[in-house]
Amino acid sequence: MKSNIALGVAAVALALTVYNQVITPSTPSHDSLKAEHVTELHEELHTNNAPSSRNSESQSALDALDRSALVERIAYLEERVLEIENRAFSNSPSTESMEETILAVLEEKERKDKAQNREDNPVYGFYEDLPKDYDLKLKTDPEFAMKVSQDLKTKVLDESLSPTERLSAMGQLQMNMYILNRTQGEMFDYETVDAVLDISRNSQDEKLKVQALEVVAHSPIVDSRIAKSLQDIIEKEPNKYMKTMAAEGLIGQYYQSGETSPELKQQLASDILDLYNNSSSSEAQLVMQRLIRDDELLEQIRRDAGQ
């Protein structure tokens, strides 16, 4: 009997305590005092060392509680909890609102990714802004292709623009030529390549110097003046990566010249052999020897040089 009463009192006390702490104001009310009294009685019931007379008094006090009032109070608390739950669910965002929030987060992430890509590789940051049908439009709309190329060449040659903007324009112009399967044209010529070489020679930003040289080294424009500039970089540039990139560009000039100018090819083959065999810079010589490891390629260069 006592255990059942104790469990009942514990449940009632817990419910009233939650109600007083969460739902009702912090000022003690008559009901909260009653709950405290119930809790005290419950603790006394479970105290092993309490005198039997004290237990008897507690039991009498419990029997005196208005059980119907407690039942009503518990029912009221249940209604309040249900009301709070319903209100919380009714204030939750709708499915449409959640979708909009998710899309906004994804768009912001995409924007930040693009900004980071531009920062990491500013020369080719234009990729992020090209329309999806850019390639197809270049191939099918000659007027569009010409207009874009003219604008890009103007940017490359405009020294009032930042080196990054000029290099980005050159990168896009060069990409356009590859898309159109052209090695050169009115808007892509020695003048544009030399402007980029000038950035590589004079920029104080090592990252831009390297990127400018990479653009030139992969350029399809064949010209003895470009080849001479690349040789100077191979022999004088302290940066080993730039030496290697210039050497790759020089060998690329040699390969491509065979289709346009046999005389230039012979001259380039001779220049490459000089760097390979008799360079005044041991580092330049090592760079060329690392690139020309194939005996067949070396023999081909010698034949083209007339040796």
Side-chain angles (χ1 to χ4, degrees):
M1 177 65 176
K2 285 185 178 182
S3 61
N4 291 335
I5 293 173
L7 290 174
V9 172
V12 172
L14 178 60
L16 291 175
T17 301
V18 171
Y19 172 74
N20 288 324
Q21 292 181 354
V22 178
I23 300 174
T24 61
S26 59
T27 304
S29 64
H30 176 73
D31 290 332
S32 64
L33 293 176
K34 184 185 290 186
E36 292 176 4
H37 184 55
V38 171
T39 303
E40 291 175 0
L41 293 176
H42 174 63
E43 291 175 351
E44 289 176 0
L45 284 172
H46 286 76
T47 305
N48 295 328
N49 297 327
S52 59
S53 60
R54 186 69 175 272
N55 289 338
S56 176
E57 292 176 1
S58 299
Q59 184 63 51
S60 298
L62 285 172
D63 292 339
L65 289 173
D66 187 352
R67 288 181 174 80
S68 64
L70 290 176
V71 170
E72 290 178 3
R73 176 60 62 184
I74 292 173
Y76 171 75
L77 291 175
E78 290 176 344
E79 291 177 1
R80 292 286 291 137
V81 170
L82 182 60
E83 179 184 345
I84 292 172
E85 289 178 347
N86 290 336
R87 189 184 307 142
F89 281 113
S90 65
N91 292 334
S92 62
S94 64
T95 302
E96 182 179 353
S97 177
M98 290 181 66
E99 289 178 354
E100 291 177 354
T101 301
I102 292 171
L103 288 174
V105 170
L106 292 176
E107 288 176 0
E108 178 63 15
K109 181 179 183 302
E110 183 179 2
R111 186 190 66 77
K112 289 182 178 180
D113 288 344
K114 287 182 178 181
Q116 187 63 50
N117 288 338
R118 288 191 185 94
E119 183 179 345
D120 295 340
N121 196 358
V123 175
Y124 296 101
F126 65 85
Y127 280 122
E128 303 292 344
D129 300 319
L130 294 179
K132 293 182 179 179
D133 63 343
Y134 182 78
D135 290 20
L136 184 60
K137 197 167 183 180
L138 279 178
K139 295 173 182 177
T140 59
D141 190 341
E143 291 184 3
F144 172 77
M146 177 61 71
K147 179 65 169 60
V148 170
S149 297
Q150 286 176 337
D151 292 344
L152 292 172
K153 181 176 181 179
T154 299
K155 288 182 179 180
V156 174
L157 301 178
D158 188 353
E159 296 183 0
S160 68
L161 297 178
S162 69
T164 298
E165 290 176 296
R166 296 172 66 194
L167 282 180
S168 181
M170 182 62 173
Q172 186 175 348
L173 180 59
Q174 187 162 294
M175 183 194 73
N176 287 359
M177 294 299 103
Y178 282 118
I179 291 174
L180 297 172
N181 197 26
R182 299 177 187 170
T183 57
Q184 54 189 325
E186 295 179 29
M187 307 305 160
F188 191 59
D189 52 16
Y190 168 74
E191 187 179 16
T192 54
V193 175
D194 187 58
V196 174
L197 266 173
D198 190 59
I199 293 174
S200 183
R201 294 188 198 101
N202 300 316
S203 176
Q204 300 301 312
D205 187 327
E206 288 297 317
K207 187 175 182 179
L208 287 179
K209 287 180 66 173
V210 168
Q211 290 183 317
L213 183 57
E214 286 176 339
V215 170
V216 173
H218 296 105
S219 170
I221 303 298
V222 177
D223 192 288
S224 60
R225 293 167 292 183
I226 296 175
K228 180 63 172 66
S229 296
L230 293 173
Q231 289 178 58
D232 289 341
I233 294 172
I234 295 169
E235 293 183 307
K236 300 174 183 177
E237 172 60 47
N239 185 306
K240 292 183 179 180
Y241 175 79
M242 291 184 69
K243 281 181 180 292
T244 301
M245 186 58 58
E248 290 180 1
L250 183 61
I251 293 175
Q253 290 276 309
Y254 158 73
Y255 277 125
Q256 295 176 87
S257 63
E259 302 175 1
T260 58
S261 176
E263 292 182 0
L264 178 58
K265 185 173 186 179
Q266 181 178 7
Q267 181 60 52
L268 290 175
S270 179
D271 293 339
I272 290 171
L273 283 178
D274 287 343
L275 289 168
Y276 184 89
N277 294 319
N278 304 311
S279 175
S280 58
S281 169
S282 60
E283 289 187 3
Q285 185 178 28
L286 288 173
V287 167
M288 298 305 299
Q289 290 177 351
R290 280 198 297 268
L291 289 178
I292 307 175
R293 295 181 177 179
D294 190 330
D295 291 339
E296 291 185 9
L297 173 59
L298 182 58
E299 287 301 316
Q300 181 63 50
I301 294 174
R302 285 173 175 162
R303 286 195 297 270
D304 290 336
Q307 298 182 13

